[in-house]
Amino acid sequence: MMEAKTLPACPVETTLTLISDKWKVLIIRDLLPGTKRFGELKKSIGSVSQKVLTSQLRQMEESGLLIRTVFPEVPPRVEYTLTELGQSLKPVLDAMWNWGEEYKAKNV
């Protein structure tokens, strides 16, 4: 997990540091309902490359936003689940959803 001393002083900037990439926000969106496997995430997100998705998931794991579970099967099964910290971003995503809905309603 990131040390507090390396995080920006501004709380908004801290949040953006953790979820600054659009893929991270979409990963959180897709994991809010529950655990997903890598392939399910890739399919639900769409145009993200495997390399970028892997990189984003690793960064989010390091930040403490999700847990990666590897099952010793052949072929290996890997599942991703939001941590309590990751789940706590739900109100942020809900606010983004509501804002986007209002924007679309006024500007279409």
Side-chain angles (χ1 to χ4, degrees), residues 27-43:
I27 290 166
I28 293 166
R29 175 200 69 189
D30 290 354
L31 288 178
L32 277 169
T35 300
K36 280 197 171 46
R37 292 170 70 172
F38 184 89
E40 293 173 310
L41 280 171
K42 183 154 180 2
K43 187 176 180 183

Side-chain angles (χ1 to χ4, degrees), residues 36-108:
K36 280 197 171 46
R37 292 170 70 172
F38 184 89
E40 293 173 310
L41 280 171
K42 183 154 180 2
K43 187 176 180 183
S44 66
I45 292 170
S47 59
V48 66
S49 72
Q50 186 164 331
K51 180 181 176 185
V52 169
L53 181 56
T54 299
S55 169
Q56 299 297 299
L57 289 165
R58 284 192 182 133
Q59 290 172 24
M60 293 173 73
E61 185 180 13
E62 288 171 18
S63 299
L65 296 176
L66 58 81
I67 297 168
R68 177 180 185 262
T69 307
V70 180
F71 295 88
E73 301 171 357
V74 178
R77 179 170 49 114
V78 180
E79 292 183 345
Y80 296 90
T81 308
L82 288 178
T83 60
E84 206 173 306
L85 181 65
Q87 285 283 346
S88 71
L89 285 162
K90 185 181 184 322
V92 176
L93 267 66
D94 287 346
M96 291 170 72
W97 175 280
N98 292 335
W99 188 91
E101 284 286 303
E102 288 176 27
Y103 179 84
K104 287 189 334 190
K106 292 176 183 170
N107 295 288
V108 172

